[in-house]
Every structure is written in C-alpha cells, then in structure tokens.
C-alpha cells in the first residue's frame, strides 16, 4: 500500500512513507488506447449502475503515489478486459471541484483510494490488494466469483487453504438455511480481507474435530491456538468473531514477511497498543516472550493489544517513537489519542506492574520534541512540539503549519513555495506560516492528523477553524486558501498592509 490513510495510525504511515520513497519510480506515460474508464460526477452513477463489479480509483493529479500506480493500473485494466467476464477498472479525479461530492460520498481520505463496487454500486469495499499490475490482476480475479468456495475434496482443501494465512471455513450439514445464508453474507462482506470456504466434511480441514453435529465456523490461523470454532451465526457476532480471532494475542514484528498482514491489522486496530521492543537475540528472549504472552492473555478483549518487536526490524518504529537502541528492551504504550508512554530498559518483572499503572492512569505521556530554536527569523517559522501550543494551538494568529519530514521529496519541493507564501504575508501580523519536523516532534493526533508528509494544517486566529489543506500545492492556491479561511484582519494589520 502506498498511501497512508488509516486515521490515527501514524506508525504505519511512517513505514509506508519510508518504503515508498525508497521504491517509487515514475514512469513515462504513453499515448495508447486507455482501458481505464474516466468517470466524473456527470456519469459516475450511470456507469456504475450498469456493472455488477467495477473498480474505481479515486486520485488527485498532484499525488505521486497515484502517478506511480497509473501505468500499473492501466496494464491491469488491459489484462482484465480480457477476463471472462470482463473486469472494469475506472478512475475519478477526486480533487476536481465538481467531483468533491463523490469523494465525500465515498469518504475518500487519502490518495489513491481504490474501491470495489458491486451490484451497481450497492455494495462498496475497500481495495486492499497490491499496487502493481500482476498483483492487481490476481487480487481482483479472486474478488469476482463466489466469496466462499466449496471444499469437496482433499485437493480442494490443499489448494484453497494457505497455512500461513487466516482461512475461515463453514462446516454445514447442508448448504441451505439461515446459518448458511448468514455465513455467505459475512463472507461477501469480508472477502477482501480473508479467504472463505465451506464444506460438509469437517475431516478435510485437518484441524479441529473431524465431525461436527451442528453448523460450525472454524477459523484457521497460523498462530496461537491454530483454530477456533464458533457456532453463533448472527451476522454481527460472526463478523466480530472473525475480526478478533484474526489478530494474534501478541503480534510479531520481525523480518518475516508473512507477518505483514497481521502487522497491518495490528496498526489498523482502534485499540490501544502495548509494544515491547528488544533484540530477538537477547539471552532472556524466551522468558520475555512467555511472560509477555501471559500478560497479553490477561488483557485479552480489554482494548489493549500487544506487539513484540525485534529491534533489528523496528528501525522506523524507533525513529517514530524517538527511541534509541540502548533503551531496549523498551516497552511503549500508544493510546488512541496518539499519546505514548515509554518504559526504557524494562525488566521482565516490571512489565505487568507498569502496564497496570498505565491502565490506572498513573503514568505521564512522553512527548518527543526538539529544543525550541534560539533564533527563528526566517520567513517560515520553526515550530517544535514544545512550542506547538504557544505558536499554533493557542496562538491568536492565523497559522498555516506544514508538518514535514527531512527525507520527503514532496516536502523539499514545497519548501521554496512556502517561503514565498510566508514572504507575501510578512507584513501581515495576523498570519504566520510555520513548519514542524514530524519525525522529531510529536503532534497531538486528536487535533492534527498526520497521514503523510507533507501535511498542511490551517488554524484560524480565533481557533474556530481547524482544517487540513488538501488543495494544489501552488503559491497562488495556498495564499487564496489562507485569505478565504482566515479570520477578519484587525484594523491594525490592514493599516500595516497599506503602508
Ligand atoms: C464521463 O464524463 C467525462 C466528462 O464529460 C468524460 O471525459 C468521460 O469519458 C465520461 N466517461 C465515460 C465512461 O463515458
């Protein structure tokens, strides 16, 4: 995934951004027949309503990840046009003023966002597959056809069930009745996240009881207890069972790529997060593991989810949390307001009591910040976590704040433009243009949501307006945006402007 759009999940975003900056390559576009349909507000409903299955990419012309995706998406569209039945790929410029309604309707929060629309648009799912042509093709082929596949033979079971992944199998005396129907409803709903199958023969599954007397859902997983049975076929209950059962008690963060889907789930979960980072070569590793697992078991279902990370695999997490290697083993809690609590050089016996203090509200959050700079006289003012309140949140000025990363190419491109914007407001005492290095400073995620770099936020002088700037990153557009959103200038500053 090349964009960051899980709200509040900063950590994942940082990884994603790091990866995508390293690997993004832009390709030249060619003038050829286009297989991807271009839709806009005028024909979106009409075209979508004609399709049982259509894929729509919401993009913005300025978005780099969208540009990287475009040739792959087009290639996939051309391959899939020959599929039986044809699979249609489309795109919408969600940044265009006239399509903003569509972007809102589909709750587009970042670019690119790809949605799978079924039954003429009645059923909408997020596309969670790869971003290169072959991967897109394979993923989408799987998304068509039945959501749950029948397992009739041992060969079917071998072919369908991948031991490294979650697989959900419904075991039924017969393929009819409310329980079976509900199973199919849930399979349809969650098909982009999990693989589903159904059978009348529990023996084929190899895990769990080989004969069941009542309809059963068996969730197979590559961790913890390896399978769990469930017999409640209410749609909501079944869905919850699958979502919860598919997160390991302790998610492992190491260099094994098979763990990636579980890491995505972990960081995508709205729960609070406890993370223990240490060297997996640590001489006490087994003791840490078993104690940590035991503690995780005690918190199961209580809104705190556990991760165990190898220092060797967690470099970006260390950067993100402002940790250093000599602090390992280090225990970190991130709550759902984005606040973090850190216990460096933690010993095995301290883990449980420290977590209890956290849960009891007795710990103080740790806030990463650079020092407040001694001089700050460039046109674009430097803000750090320690000065964020004074210079932005509680300031009586209209502030445009850029949250950037030193390594981010788009930020480098934006820097001279922001300089010009700042210069153009230099005589206006009510407007401040500022920047904050998001890799060295924490920002409260309940106020400023950083989904990627650069993130631009605007706060009006009175604080009545708090908005992300998502327009074109040009001097003219940014200035216009500030003028349109600022609070009315005081007579003093108007006077200054005229001088
Ligand atoms: C939808 O309308 C836009 C603008 O009029 C046009 O460019 C596009 O080709 C149309 N799409 C289809 C699939 O007809």
């Amino acid at each position: 995934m090349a964009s960051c759009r899980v709200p509040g999940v900063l950590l994942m975003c940082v990884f994603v951004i790091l990866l995508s900056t390293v690997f993004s390559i832009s390709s030249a576009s060619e003038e050829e027949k286009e297989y991807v349909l271009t839709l806009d507000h005028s024909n979106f409903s009409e075209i979508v309503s004609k399709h049982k299955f259509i894929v729509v990419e919401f993009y913005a012309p300025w978005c780099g990840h969208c540009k990287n995706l475009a040739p792959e998406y087009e290639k996939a569209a051309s391959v899939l046009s020959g599929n039986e039945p044809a699979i249609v790929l489309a795109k919408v410029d969600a940044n265009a003023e006239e399509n903003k309604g569509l972007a809102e309707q589909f709750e587009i929060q970042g670019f690119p966002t790809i949605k799978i629309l079924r039954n003429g648009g009645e059923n909408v799912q997020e596309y969670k597959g790869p971003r290169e042509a072959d991967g897109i093709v394979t993923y989408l082929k799987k998304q068509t056809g039945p959501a749950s596949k029948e397992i009739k033979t041992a060969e079917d079971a071998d072919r369908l069930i991948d031991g490294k992944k979650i697989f959900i199998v419904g075991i039924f005396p017969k393929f009819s009745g409310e329980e079976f129907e509900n199973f199919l409803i849930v399979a349809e709903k969650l098909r982009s996240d999990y693989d589903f199958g159904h059978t009348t023969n529990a023996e084929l599954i190899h895990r769990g009881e080989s004969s069941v007397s009542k309809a059963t859902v068996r969730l197979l997983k590559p961790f913890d207890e390896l399978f769990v049975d469930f017999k409640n076929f209410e749609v909501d209950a079944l869905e919850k069972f699958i979502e919860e059962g598919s997160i390991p008690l302790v998610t492992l963060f190491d260099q094994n790529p098979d763990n990636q889907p579980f890491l995505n789930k972990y960081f995508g979960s709205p729960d609070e997060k406890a993370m223990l980072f240490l060297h997996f070569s640590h001489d006490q590793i087994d003791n840490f593991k078993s104690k940590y697992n035991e503690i995780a078991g005690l918190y199961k279902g209580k809104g705190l989810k556990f991760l165990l990370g190898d220092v060797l695999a967690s470099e970006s997490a260390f950067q993100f949390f402002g940790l250093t290697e000599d602090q390992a083993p280090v225990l970190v809690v991130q709550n759902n307001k984005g606040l973090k609590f850190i216990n460096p050089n933690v010993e095995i016996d301290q883990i449980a009591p420290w977590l209890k203090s956290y849960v009891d509200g007795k710990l103080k959050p740790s806030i990463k910040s650079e020092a407040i700079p001694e001089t700050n006289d460039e046109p674009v003012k430097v803000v750090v976590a320690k000065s964020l309140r004074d210079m932005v949140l509680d300031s009586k000025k209209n502030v445009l704040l850029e949250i950037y990363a030193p390594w981010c190419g788009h930020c480098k491109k934006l820097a001279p433009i922001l300089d010009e914007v700042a210069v153009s407001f230099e005589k206006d005492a009510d407007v401040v243009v500022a920047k904050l290095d998001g890799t060295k400073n924490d920002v409260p995620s309940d106020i400023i949501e950083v989904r990627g770099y650069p993130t631009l936020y605007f706060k009006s002088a009175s604080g009545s307006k708090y908005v992300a700037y998502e327009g074109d990153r040009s001097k003219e557009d940014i200035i216009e945006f500030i003028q349109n959103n600022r609070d009315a200038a005081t007579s003093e500053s108007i006077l200054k402007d005229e001088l």
Side-chain angles (χ1 to χ4, degrees), residues 111 251-252 331 423:
F111 302 114
T251 299
L252 276 188
L331 182 58
V423 167

Side-chain angles (χ1 to χ4, degrees), residues 37-40 42-44 47:
L37 297 183
T38 303
L39 305 181
D40 70 0
S42 69
N43 49 24
F44 186 90
I47 307 272

